[in-house]
Amino acid sequence: MQFLRGGGGGGGGGAGGMAWEVLRRHFSRKRAVDVRRINPKVPKEEAVAISGRLLQILADHGPLTVGNTWNHAKDAAIEGLNSKTHMKILLKWMWGRQIIKLSCTQTGNNKKFLYSPFTADGSEAAAEEPSPTTTEQQQPRKGWKGKHPKYKGQAKKQKPAAAA
């Protein structure tokens, strides 16, 4: 059982000590919450209706924090939404079903968690980035050839034309 204590006298620990540390770290972690099993505290039909209204608020007003979402939800007077805590449960329920996405922006030591409507990665990238302009198309492709001082200014060697 010496491998459980971390090695034999050399102070290095060895592979046995590393294995023990990996096992200890693995079993000391808390299990992740299964967001698919979150109870929205209302019947499913009502939860779908409320989530539709919350999704409309997020789509209209852009990425919002929980507080701002609650202010817009109060202004919209969503029927069936009881409190800010209930709205947060519904937001987590929507996030688990990939209806909305949660992003984090960090400014210095402060973090802001923003909710926004979920879009597929491919369509999101296509919507945010316009097609490349002509100046971007004219720029040479990035690579090492032609950049190294040894090859700078040298023309590429051409193969001699085959005798016909």
Side-chain angles (χ1 to χ4, degrees), residues 86-144:
H86 186 222
M87 184 198 70
K88 291 199 291 192
I89 291 170
L90 282 167
L91 287 172
K92 190 180 273 191
W93 180 77
M94 293 166 67
W95 178 74
R97 285 167 169 64
Q98 294 187 342
I99 300 170
I100 59 175
K101 64 182 176 182
L102 180 63
S103 58
C104 175
T105 58
Q106 186 168 0
T107 309
N109 291 333
N110 301 327
K111 290 183 181 177
K112 280 190 178 180
F113 294 95
L114 302 171
Y115 286 99
S116 58
F118 183 81
T119 55
D121 291 335
S123 63
E124 180 184 337
E128 289 181 4
E129 294 181 21
S131 60
T133 59
T134 55
T135 57
E136 291 175 357
Q137 290 173 350
Q138 292 173 356
Q139 292 178 350
R141 292 174 51 182
K142 292 183 179 179
W144 68 272

